[in-house]
Amino acid sequence: MATIQKRGNSYRITTSLGYNSNGKQIRKSMTYTPAPGMTEKQLEKEVERQAFIFEEKCRTGRILDGNIKFADFAERWFSDYASRQLKAKTVEGYKALMGRINAAIGHISLDKLQPLHLMEFYKNLSENGIRQDIRYKATPLFMETMKHNRLTVAKLSELSGVSTSTITSCRLERAVMHESAEALSRALKTDASKLFIPLDKDNRLTSNTILHHHRLISAILNTAVHWQVITANPCARVKPPKLDRKEAHYLDDNQTLELLECLSREELKYQVMIKLLIYSGVRRGELCGLKWGDIDFDNKLVTIERAVLYTADKGLYEDTPKNESSKRVVKLADEIFSLLQEYKMKYNADRVNAGDRWIETGYIFTQWNGKPIHPDTITGWFGKFIKAHSLPKVSIHSLRHTNATLMIANGVDLRTVSKRLGHSNMSTTANVYTHAVKSADERAAEVLQDILKPKQKNNKAN
């Protein structure tokens, strides 16, 4: 029950919300100033009504103040804002960052969070050993410990929660991820540093990843300001971590031709997918989201207006592209449409063979039963394809960079390239493809010199 104290012309209403983890009572208060002209009876009823409303808001969590811990507010931010306003894939990426963020500042109250806390956190993120996606290889002690404890692969899998295939990889001294190495070390009750050694020498976070942490913290605190929980965002007084720009990985024209030559001997479905990525520059999710209705065979046009994505929470799902400008129509070469015609015949045959097990979705690239293909299926196949043909080590996203670089290198103007890629503004294209823009600029200078040189000679002769 809320307590009410009269203070001059106003009332202080206080309510208790139990105790925190340290045994300290959690109390919240508000000041109510009644409107003039109320009778004593009206005033009594109104004060009680205000106390009841305040207590109910506190009980249901609708009252926030600066004393709330960062981790608790962040949880509220995800449920009340991010899950409703942001794309599921973005939310999943943000949640992956929260482990490090909460470990560093989650225990600090919003009104106590200072720029120094953030600066120390960013400094820590830049240190060696902070990454969680480092690959590890088992030491000889791993097998010795298993034998000493008389553990079979199946038993160790049961104790650790790690799959038998991953444990077999450890025994064969193949790479495993950090989570698996930690889980196995706990099950074997041995320090992980004795059982596993890191394979990657540089296990620092990239400057881009550190900047992502900063932007997420800033977004959460901006909302806290907007909700009037705190008066100012401490991130505004911190210089953002410096971003070390790296060139996008791409294939040059000769490497691309070599890839296409190797591709011609692969399954038709993958030929179509990889060539579409190279010729159109679409994102992986946009490729998975293409439907037959998006293909204009007569005018040689492809409409991009959706993506098929995956998150652990939602599974496979359909979404709009990355931003509004990503909805676009691109014209492609005749070769692509000839290949699509050939693939459509096979697609129709597969649909007939599946019979009543086929699920009609309209997607171009599907699983055996008509459901949309998983984006990771394309990535996995492409990685094996690159390795099998000893091609330059690039990712599936590198084909988008290859598309843009080849266009810029061959004189396509930046505005057109930006529009075809679906960038929200031309500066994004210019920043990502600085290498290609610089090379094109140098060639333009050489062309201008070649044009003007003969005229200069003729003028001197006269």
Side-chain angles (χ1 to χ4, degrees):
M1 181 85 180
T3 59
I4 302 169
Q5 291 177 302
K6 192 173 189 310
R7 291 187 172 185
N9 295 323
S10 63
Y11 295 83
R12 185 169 181 80
I13 302 170
T14 304
T15 187
S16 174
L17 297 176
Y19 297 84
N20 63 18
S21 57
N22 297 320
K24 185 178 179 181
Q25 190 175 26
I26 303 170
R27 298 171 69 85
K28 290 187 183 293
S29 303
M30 69 164 282
T31 299
Y32 168 65
T33 303
M38 298 176 72
T39 66
E40 188 175 338
K41 192 169 185 179
Q42 287 174 329
L43 185 59
E44 183 182 350
K45 283 187 176 181
E46 184 59 24
V47 171
E48 288 179 357
R49 191 178 78 86
Q50 291 293 334
F52 174 80
I53 292 171
F54 178 69
E55 187 174 36
E56 184 66 14
K57 284 183 176 180
C58 290
R59 187 183 65 79
T60 57
R62 286 179 286 161
I63 292 292
L64 297 171
D65 60 34
N67 193 44
I68 187 172
K69 300 291 188 289
F70 180 89
D72 295 331
F73 183 80
E75 186 177 346
R76 185 73 174 270
W77 181 82
F78 273 102
S79 63
D80 290 2
Y81 174 78
S83 62
R84 300 177 184 181
Q85 301 294 328
L86 305 178
K87 288 183 176 293
K89 198 70 176 175
T90 301
V91 173
E92 183 183 59
Y94 281 165
K95 285 183 176 179
L97 302 179
M98 287 307 300
R100 293 192 187 97
I101 293 173
N102 281 338
I105 63 172
H107 61 288
I108 303 174
S109 300
L110 291 190
D111 56 4
K112 300 288 193 302
L113 188 60
Q114 297 296 317
L116 282 173
H117 293 127
L118 302 174
M119 291 162 62
E120 186 64 29
F121 176 47
Y122 301 149
K123 180 183 176 183
N124 175 255
L125 289 181
S126 66
E127 292 173 355
N128 213 29
I130 199 71
R131 286 182 59 165
Q132 299 294 306
D133 59 348
I134 301 302
R135 298 173 303 158
Y136 289 82
K137 183 177 77 169
T139 65
L141 184 62
F142 176 81
M143 284 297 298
E144 292 174 18
T145 307
M146 276 190 68
K147 289 178 181 177
H148 177 76
N149 291 303
R150 297 179 180 179
L151 291 173
T152 62
V153 171
K155 185 62 179 176
L156 182 55
S157 175
E158 181 184 335
L159 291 172
S160 64
V162 176
S163 68
T164 56
S165 60
T166 299
I167 297 172
T168 301
S169 293
C170 292
R171 297 177 67 184
L172 296 173
E173 297 187 358
R174 293 174 182 163
V176 297
M177 298 307 294
H178 175 269
E179 294 82 0
S180 299
E182 286 290 337
L184 290 167
S185 299
R186 285 194 298 270
L188 293 171
K189 299 178 180 179
T190 307
D191 193 326
S193 63
K194 295 179 181 178
L195 296 181
F196 294 90
I197 55 173
L199 293 177
D200 302 280
K201 293 181 180 179
D202 183 10
N203 56 0
R204 292 180 176 87
L205 294 176
T206 66
S207 60
N208 192 41
T209 301
I210 297 173
L211 189 58
H212 280 323
H213 284 78
H214 169 76
R215 287 171 175 166
L216 174 55
I217 294 170
S218 185
I220 292 171
L221 294 176
N222 271 338
T223 303
V225 173
H226 183 70
W227 289 352
Q228 298 182 330
V229 179
I230 52 176
T231 57
N233 182 351
C235 283
R237 305 194 300 277
V238 176
K239 191 174 181 180
K242 185 180 178 182
L243 180 61
D244 298 325
R245 292 200 176 276
K246 294 182 179 180
E247 283 192 10
H249 292 292
Y250 64 95
L251 300 172
D252 61 28
D253 49 357
N254 289 325
Q255 292 169 330
T256 306
L257 289 171
E258 183 183 0
L259 183 148
L260 291 173
E261 172 60 30
C262 296
L263 189 65
S264 64
R265 299 187 289 275
E266 299 294 332
E267 183 184 337
L268 181 59
K269 178 168 73 174
Y270 291 106
Q271 284 190 50
V272 179
M273 286 193 292
I274 302 305
K275 283 193 174 184
L276 261 173
L277 289 169
I278 293 173
Y279 278 79
S280 68
V282 295
R283 301 176 179 92
R284 184 184 69 164
E286 293 170 345
L287 178 78
C288 295
L290 286 176
K291 294 188 175 184
W292 287 112
D294 302 325
I295 309 300
D296 183 346
F297 285 97
D298 294 330
N299 298 301
K300 307 296 189 291
L301 298 172
V302 175
T303 300
I304 297 104
E305 59 183 14
R306 77 187 69 77
V308 167
L309 305 169
Y310 173 85
T311 64
D313 292 339
K314 298 184 68 171
L316 279 178
Y317 68 98
E318 185 182 294
D319 201 353
T320 54
K322 191 172 183 180
N323 49 55
E324 194 59 33
S325 58
S326 292
K327 294 180 180 179
R328 59 204 188 275
V329 179
V330 294
K331 191 173 182 68
L332 298 179
D334 291 350
E335 178 189 349
I336 291 297
F337 290 91
S338 297
L339 204 60
L340 277 166
Q341 286 279 22
E342 183 182 351
Y343 172 67
K344 192 171 186 182
M345 293 173 63
K346 184 181 183 307
Y347 172 94
N348 289 333
D350 290 341
R351 183 172 59 179
V352 171
N353 291 334
D356 57 7
R357 295 176 298 174
W358 183 266
I359 301 168
E360 191 57 60
T361 60
Y363 290 107
I364 296 175
F365 303 110
T366 67
Q367 302 173 42
W368 68 271
N369 61 355
K371 289 185 177 181
I373 195 170
H374 196 300
D376 286 348
T377 299
I378 306 172
T379 301
W381 180 89
F382 188 69
K384 293 175 183 176
F385 167 74
I386 288 290
K387 187 175 181 180
H389 294 280
S390 301
L391 293 166
K393 193 174 180 181
V394 291
S395 69
I396 201 78
H397 195 68
S398 299
L399 301 182
R400 177 172 165 84
H401 296 320
T402 297
N403 168 274
T405 301
L406 292 178
M407 283 195 292
I408 295 170
N410 286 279
V412 179
D413 66 276
L414 204 59
R415 184 177 296 280
T416 299
V417 174
S418 182
K419 187 177 179 181
R420 287 177 67 90
L421 292 176
H423 283 161
S424 54
N425 54 66
M426 205 161 62
S427 62
T428 302
T429 316
N431 289 335
V432 174
Y433 302 106
T434 305
H435 62 283
V437 174
K438 184 179 178 182
S439 298
D441 187 56
E442 289 171 352
R443 281 194 300 277
E446 292 170 2
V447 168
L448 190 62
Q449 178 176 279
D450 291 340
I451 293 171
L452 297 178
K453 245 184 178 181
K455 292 184 179 180
Q456 289 173 351
K457 288 179 181 179
N458 290 336
N459 287 338
K460 285 181 180 179
N462 295 332

